[in-house]
Structures are given as C-alpha cells and as structure tokens.
Amino acid sequence: MDARNAGAGAEGAGEEEAAGGESVFTVIIAAAANLGIALAKAVAGVISGSSAMLSEAAHSFADTVTELLLLTALKRSEKPADEDHPLGHGGERYVWALLAAVATFVGGAVFSLYDGIHTLVAGEELGDPLVSYIVLAIACVLEGFSLRTAVRQARGEAARYRAPVGTYLKHTPDTAVKAVVLEDSAALVGLALAAGGLLGGQLTGSGVWDAVASLCIGVLLLWVAWVLGRSNVRLLVGRPLPESVRAEIRSLLLAGEHVEAVLELTTLVQGPREALVAAKVDFRDASTAAQIEWACEDAARRLQERFPAVRRVYLDPTPGFAQRREEGLRPF
C-alpha cells in the first residue's frame, strides 16, 4: 500500500518548507562571502608574494564553486516526482553535493599542496604583508558571519530532532548545511594558518613558514573534501533511518489491530526531509481483505503523523513463518 503525506499536517509541511528555504539562504550567504573574499585574497597574495595567501584564495574560490553546486543541488532536488522519476529527485542533491566535495579537493587542496611544495623547493620573495593582514581580518569577519548563519540553522534543526548540534551535523542528510559549516570552519582555521605563515616569514625573513602554512591548508581541505565526499556517497548508495527510529516504526506497525508480526522492515533516506518505509507484514489469518486494506492505510497514517518526513509507506501482506512452514513455502 502507498500513502503520500497522508498524515503530515499543514504545520509539518510548513516547517519543512521553511527549513529548505533556510538552507538556500545559508548557502547564498556563504557563496557571496566567499566570492568577495577570494578576489581580495588573490590580490593580496600577488602583492605580498605569499603562497599561503594564494592558497587561501584558491580555498575561497573552491568554496564559491562548492556553494554554487550546492545551490544547484537544492533547486534540482525540489522537482516533484513524475512518471520517469516516481520516487522524486531527492537523490540529485547528493550527486551535486558530491561534485562540490570534488571541487573542494581539486580547486583548493591540490592547488594549496602544489603551491606549498613549489615554495619549499623554489623559495619566494616576500613583499609587504600589510595588505594581506587587512584582507585576512576582513575575511575573518565575513567567514564568521557566514558560519554563524549556518550554525544557527544547524542548532534550530538539531532542536527539532532533540539532538546535540554535533550529533545532528554528523548524521544529518542535509549535506548543504553540513558543507557550509565544515567549509566555513575550515576557512577560519585556514585564515589563522595563513596569518601564522605571514607572521613567521616577516619575523624570520624565510618563506618556509609561508610554504608550511600552505601545505597545512591543503591537508585541511583534503580532510573537508573527504568528510563531505564520504557523507554524500553513503546517501547515494542508500542509508537507512537511524536504528532508534526503525525500532519505533516497527513498534507502531505492531500496534495495529490486525498485525501479527513485522517480518521485514526496510527504510531509506531519500532527502533531508524525505524517507521511504517498506515492510513485509504478517496480518491475522482471520482478518478480511477489507480489514487488511484499512489496516495498511491506518498504519501509514500513524507513521506519517509521528514522522512527517516519511513520504512513502509500502506494506506487503505476507504469510508468517509458521504458516509458510505449514504450506511448505521457503522461509525468508
């Protein structure tokens, strides 16, 4: 049996729409901040001759591309289900988000590592670092504002699920918010590393400090790309709902008047606020076909009232283990 949003009321739908709008706003703020910061860092890097500043410019350009890809992901995943895509377009979010992680790797990490190694081998002529310090200070303020916006959304979402912010960010299927929080946090760390490289070069007259800072920025971006890439791959391959949620779903199904047992339960996360539940259910042998049909509808309604994110519920009436043995059927 299939039931779509049967029990999700207007309040639940409104919360989901608002959360989706928050994600778009968060990503737009991050993209605008990173584009301005990237241009300023590039100019400061050329003037000061700092490889760390150029690495930071590459970092910010990569973050800008990442945010544009995340915006694409958010928009394309909102397309409704149709005949060619009966389960909707939620999976597109993770395809584009995975490309965003690749952009962080290629555009930021690889360039930073190359620039750091090149500086160590060939050396560099240090220029006036004053412009770089000014740009780093402005970038710190803008990145901090962007991070504050993302963390505020993450806290609101975590409160909805009654979970700590760290736990929410670790497990959330909303990879757009996760990406902005990680990238802005990494950006602030990168700014500190770049400042340290500039200061070390200024005090010692050696470009080694700047090169080491660039290498550290590259390693940091590698870690961010790995974390985001792994999260999106898991969701693309197929991730179930959390174990505690699955246990509650099983209990809700068993609470049905005509249900004897839940033989098999399958759940699938399809998006940040979209999930599928499918189950093989053993109904009482004395129940009529009409009673089983209404029991399926009632179970779908109760599941969606408890978990508004469950958009699709498929229940398959299946003979129980004892009945299958009596009839000589193969067990599951």
Side-chain angles (χ1 to χ4, degrees), residues 28-322:
I28 289 175
I29 289 293
N34 278 310
L35 181 57
I37 291 169
L39 293 171
K41 285 177 180 176
V43 172
V46 171
I47 292 173
S48 66
S50 168
S51 63
M53 281 303 297
L54 291 175
S55 295
E56 271 298 296
H59 180 175
S60 294
F61 274 120
D63 284 352
T64 304
V65 173
T66 295
E67 264 94 52
L68 291 176
L69 290 171
L70 290 175
L71 279 175
T72 303
L74 292 171
K75 290 301 181 183
R76 291 187 65 86
S77 64
E78 290 174 354
K79 294 166 64 177
D82 52 39
E83 188 174 345
D84 293 327
H85 302 87
L87 297 182
H89 295 74
E92 278 209 54
R93 175 186 292 252
Y94 305 119
V95 174
W96 289 95
L98 180 60
L99 292 175
V102 173
T104 299
F105 171 76
V106 175
V110 172
F111 179 85
S112 298
L113 292 172
Y114 166 78
D115 202 40
I117 294 171
H118 176 75
T119 301
L120 281 176
V121 173
E124 69 178 7
E125 293 183 7
L126 299 176
D128 185 2
L130 178 60
V131 176
S132 295
Y133 284 129
I134 294 172
V135 169
L136 288 174
I138 295 172
C140 188
V141 173
L142 294 176
E143 293 285 9
F145 176 74
S146 177
L147 178 61
R148 179 188 170 207
T149 303
V151 169
R152 180 180 294 174
Q153 180 183 349
R155 282 178 177 167
E157 291 290 302
R160 282 183 59 207
Y161 294 106
R162 298 176 184 176
V165 177
T167 302
Y168 169 78
L169 287 173
K170 182 178 180 181
H171 298 287
T172 178
D174 191 349
T175 51
V177 174
K178 183 173 185 174
V180 173
V181 170
L182 274 179
E183 287 170 357
D184 286 347
S185 299
L188 289 172
V189 175
L191 292 172
L193 290 171
L198 283 170
L199 182 61
Q202 189 178 6
L203 294 176
T204 64
S206 171
V208 171
W209 292 91
D210 208 38
V212 171
S214 183
L215 290 173
C216 289
I217 292 169
V219 172
L220 177 66
L221 290 176
L222 276 179
W223 176 78
V224 171
W226 165 255
V227 171
L228 294 178
R230 184 179 60 177
S231 297
N232 286 290
V233 166
R234 287 184 61 202
L235 288 159
L236 281 171
V237 171
R239 197 181 87 181
L241 290 169
E243 186 176 351
S244 59
V245 176
R246 298 199 302 270
E248 190 168 350
I249 288 173
R250 187 180 290 272
S251 297
L252 284 170
L253 291 174
L254 287 171
E257 181 182 356
H258 299 278
V259 175
E260 288 282 357
V262 177
L263 306 176
E264 185 178 314
L265 177 64
T266 301
T267 64
L268 179 65
V269 174
Q270 296 182 289
R273 286 158 288 278
E274 188 173 353
L276 176 149
V277 172
K280 288 182 177 292
V281 180
D282 177 21
F283 289 93
R284 293 177 182 172
D285 295 339
S287 300
T288 65
Q291 286 174 325
I292 290 175
E293 288 173 351
W294 282 110
C296 289
E297 289 298 311
D298 180 63
R301 177 185 57 78
R302 285 186 289 109
L303 280 179
Q304 292 169 332
E305 283 179 350
R306 177 64 185 87
F307 303 106
V310 174
R311 301 295 183 88
R312 298 171 180 85
V313 178
Y314 299 94
L315 301 181
D316 179 14
T318 306
F321 294 108

